[in-house]
Amino acid sequence: MINLSILAVFIPTFFFVSITPGMCMTLAMTMGMTIGLRRTFLMMIGELLGVGLVALLSVVGVATIMLQYPAVFLLFKYLGGAYLFYLGIQLWLSRGKMAVTEERLDGNNATAMELATQGFVTAVANPKGWAFFVALLPPFISDDLPMAPQISILLAMILVIEFCCLVIYASGGRTMSKFLQKSGNLQLMNRIAGTLMMVVGIWLAFG
């Protein structure tokens, strides 16, 4: 169904790209810090759906058309970036659904849909992600083999690698959270998380 030598190159290539700090990884670390690893899985579901959609559309050529019309992304990018920036401000002020307080040592008021939507928007509204998949995926697909099995295997590998990297970043955020909680400096933790969230918002809107 797919050449094993291709997988031997594809897996480390995509892992290196995925583990590199980016919007989705920064978001995972931020949420791991404020809402904990278990709740961050909800964001990961949305992010993985977004990554899978972008990868699939890149393979079938839709992304190439969309990249020729960057205005398609603008509204989505700006709204998504503004929303994440707003969440960052709320965290900085130790307010909102994800802020950590003395009464609530895990920000846990955000709904599952809200968390998943944040991940999905961050993945889909990033033109660089589309461009990356357009450039990366086609060289790993052979015309001599059935298309569907190849795409299925590559998509599965992409999602597994992306999930592992998200868990690594979210776990790092959770570890930082525990350290700051022990020192009793919850405001500092909220401000670090808020700053990171605002950076992701600006990055998404203007990157």
Side-chain angles (χ1 to χ4, degrees), residues 32-36 98-108 174 177-178 180-182 184-186 189-190:
M33 189 186 306
T34 57
I35 64 176
M98 291 196 301
V100 180
T101 64
E102 293 289 351
E103 295 77 22
R104 193 178 72 240
L105 290 179
D106 278 308
N108 58 7
R174 186 56 179 160
S177 170
K178 290 180 177 178
L180 291 172
Q181 285 179 18
K182 285 182 180 178
N185 204 335
L186 298 182
M189 183 174 68
N190 283 327

Side-chain angles (χ1 to χ4, degrees), residues 30 33 92 176 180 187-197:
T30 302
M33 189 186 306
W92 177 269
M176 185 184 300
L180 291 172
Q187 184 182 50
L188 175 61
M189 183 174 68
N190 283 327
R191 289 188 172 182
I192 291 174
T195 300
L196 290 173
M197 188 72 80

Side-chain angles (χ1 to χ4, degrees), residues 106-189:
D106 278 308
N108 58 7
N109 285 349
T111 67
M113 181 59 68
E114 287 174 335
L115 295 174
T117 299
Q118 289 172 32
F120 183 82
V121 169
T122 304
V124 174
N126 180 15
K128 292 182 180 178
W130 292 82
F132 166 74
F133 280 114
V134 167
L136 178 69
L137 284 178
F140 289 99
I141 298 175
S142 174
D143 295 333
D144 300 327
L145 297 173
M147 189 67 67
Q150 291 185 82
I151 294 174
S152 299
I153 292 173
L154 290 178
L155 275 178
M157 296 305 304
I158 286 170
L159 295 179
V160 169
I161 292 171
E162 184 78 359
F163 174 73
C164 291
C165 293
L166 287 169
V167 170
I168 290 172
Y169 273 83
S171 299
R174 186 56 179 160
T175 300
M176 185 184 300
S177 170
K178 290 180 177 178
F179 173 77
L180 291 172
Q181 285 179 18
K182 285 182 180 178
S183 68
N185 204 335
L186 298 182
Q187 184 182 50
L188 175 61
M189 183 174 68

